[in-house]
Amino acid sequence: MGSGSSSYAPKTIYLDVDGKVQKVLFSRHCSPCDIKELLCSSSNIPRNTAIMVANPEGALVSIDPTMPTNTPNSLYKVIPLSTGQLGEKEDMFQNVISQVAEQFSRAFRINELKTEVTNRLAMLEKRVELEGLKVVEIEKCKNDLKKLRDEMTSRAGGRVNCPCKYNFSDDGKKLTPRRDVPSYPKYTLSQETIEALKKPTFDVWHWEHNEMLSCLEYMYHDLGLVKEFNMNPITLKRWLLGIQENYRINPFHNFRHCFCVSQMMYGMIHLCNLQEKLTLTDLGILMTAAVCHDLDHPGYNNTYQINARTELAVRYNDISPLENHHCAVAFQILSLPECNIFANVDPEAFKQIRQAIITLILATDMARHGEILDSFKHKVDNFDFTNEEHVTCLKMVLIKCCDISNEVRPTEVAEPWVDCLLEEYFIQSDREKSEGLPVAPFMDRDKVTKPTAQIGFIKFVLIPMFETVMKLFPQIEEIMVQPLRDSRDHYEELKQIDDAMTEAQKKKTENMSLGGKKK
């Protein structure tokens, strides 16, 4: 994948083990637990021993994939924590906690509160149990309807169940997370990761799904959205699990793309200081729309849906069928009590939040790109953050920027995404050819190359849009706009090389042909 291969090189650190140098190699994709086990075995320490790592100056080093490398002249030391050390700390903390608990008990009548909370929790658990039974009954009805529909279709001999078509009866089949929350492990993010999350240079390829879920959860807490919307933290976890399991395993439009767009939105919120310019409700709408924007994407774009007359195209009358479907799935997930992160929001406020999220997801249809960007251009020179229409237009442009922002990232992060997108395009164009449907040249494996696919998109879509946003937020030029210009130059150089090689091959073929005629 071009320059992307460098991001997979293993990390090397050197340890002082009984006065000898011990070299340790591990993948950048290892979890902190794996790294701790490796350090223990390398230092002849039992596997499950609690350890810490110190540099020659005695400073502690974090044990995770981002830990800094060292040299044989600057060895790390793995130090096991003795039971005594742990015991002393635990005793100290226990004494402090006991004293605080006693003071709180006196001041706030803790025992009465505990009884009241226990009673309320019991009532809530009973309600959740009843709601769960309702969900089971609904799923049973849906399965019965599906069987009936399949039977009717088989009798009619139609094409409704063709695997390339969308089926109404498939709705909601994965909405409830298959995994319960306890199996979703808690990752403690290092300070380095927390800072990196705020930047467009963040490498999205280094993280497993559970780690990406933890990062998304952190973003909601960090922005104050959990507190603003009075979210139950467990409900937030369940919602994120439901989101992840409703992204399909496509080459491009998958959960990693969802995380990529959401992380870029989080980065732009920090980079553009949007906390000071927009309300917390606006930030919640931006983040939630980014998380949900491609839910249940089938890997075939709107053009295919319309030309193939799929059920999605029929359902939405050829008007942004995919984006409408993403919205529908998003709010089907939110309609589940165990996944409704907005359960504690006033109904009237939720109605406005719902409409705003729908507006943003529908804005990601590239067929509306010119219309939305022109509208923003007319407002940007006299932009008014107190004007609701101006703010809505800005939010639409922000989610568009994040949705197609891969080329803003470093080449080694961005270039693999091009390969993924082309793979998805080629799968679609192969099917279009087999079904006798029109094929777009930029999706045809026989006509497109990586440079030709990217140059026009960067020059005529990405740069004009980001330069317009730069008028309102000049600070994005160095971090976001300049990388786009560099990426354009990179692909233009690649195209020149490709063209030169093609021309050389053409001349070689012509010379061989002429030589054959002379003989």
Side-chain angles (χ1 to χ4, degrees), residues 109-121:
R109 297 182 302 161
I110 287 294
N111 290 331
E112 288 106 340
L113 284 172
K114 279 170 67 177
T115 304
E116 185 180 348
V117 169
T118 302
N119 291 337
R120 289 191 181 181
L121 278 174

Side-chain angles (χ1 to χ4, degrees), residues 136-321:
V136 170
E137 288 299 316
I138 291 169
E139 287 300 316
K140 186 175 181 302
C141 290
K142 284 182 178 178
N143 288 333
D144 291 343
L145 283 171
K146 185 178 186 302
K147 288 177 185 176
L148 182 61
R149 180 183 173 81
D150 291 345
E151 186 179 341
M152 291 173 64
T153 303
S154 63
R155 289 178 183 175
R159 287 187 62 203
V160 179
N161 284 328
C162 171
C164 66
K165 306 294 182 189
Y166 243 91
N167 200 319
F168 288 114
S169 59
D170 287 342
D171 285 357
K173 65 181 178 182
K174 294 196 299 179
L175 293 179
T176 304
R178 291 192 298 273
R179 292 178 290 165
D180 199 6
V181 172
S183 66
Y184 165 11
K186 174 73 175 175
Y187 287 88
T188 302
L189 305 181
S190 69
Q191 192 58 40
E192 186 178 353
T193 298
I194 287 170
E195 291 305 314
L197 266 178
K198 300 174 183 177
K199 299 173 184 175
T201 52
F202 187 81
D203 190 342
V204 296
W205 295 106
H206 279 176
W207 308 89
E208 297 175 1
H209 280 186
N210 281 339
E211 293 170 318
M212 290 188 278
L213 287 167
S214 284
C215 287
L216 289 170
E217 185 184 354
Y218 170 81
M219 293 175 200
Y220 270 74
H221 281 278
D222 179 58
L223 292 172
L225 304 181
V226 175
K227 185 177 179 181
E228 173 68 13
F229 297 108
N230 194 19
M231 293 178 191
N232 181 332
I234 298 298
T235 304
L236 175 62
K237 284 176 176 283
R238 285 201 188 99
W239 175 70
L240 287 170
L241 278 171
I243 292 293
Q244 184 225 316
E245 294 196 345
N246 280 278
Y247 272 91
R248 300 195 188 190
I249 305 173
N250 297 316
F252 183 90
H253 290 101
N254 50 40
F255 180 65
R256 194 174 298 277
H257 168 68
C258 152
F259 175 71
C260 203
V261 174
S262 305
Q263 184 272 323
M264 186 63 75
M265 180 66 79
Y266 177 71
M268 289 196 78
I269 287 171
H270 282 283
L271 181 60
C272 301
N273 297 318
L274 294 182
Q275 299 102 316
E276 298 175 8
K277 297 176 172 64
L278 302 179
T279 65
L280 275 173
T281 298
D282 284 327
L283 300 186
I285 289 164
L286 282 168
M287 286 300 301
T288 306
V291 169
C292 298
H293 83 284
D294 269 334
L295 273 168
D296 199 41
H297 195 298
Y300 298 89
N301 68 14
N302 279 333
T303 302
Y304 175 83
Q305 305 296 326
I306 293 166
N307 288 340
R309 299 175 186 172
T310 64
E311 290 200 30
L312 273 186
V314 172
R315 183 186 300 186
Y316 296 113
N317 304 307
D318 294 350
I319 300 170
S320 304

Side-chain angles (χ1 to χ4, degrees), residues 278 282 352 355-356 379 383-396:
L278 302 179
D282 284 327
Q352 295 176 4
Q355 188 53 56
K379 297 174 176 64
F383 196 86
D384 181 3
F385 280 97
T386 63
N387 184 314
E388 187 177 344
E389 184 184 344
H390 283 213
V391 170
T392 298
C393 190
L394 170 63
K395 289 188 291 186
M396 292 166 75

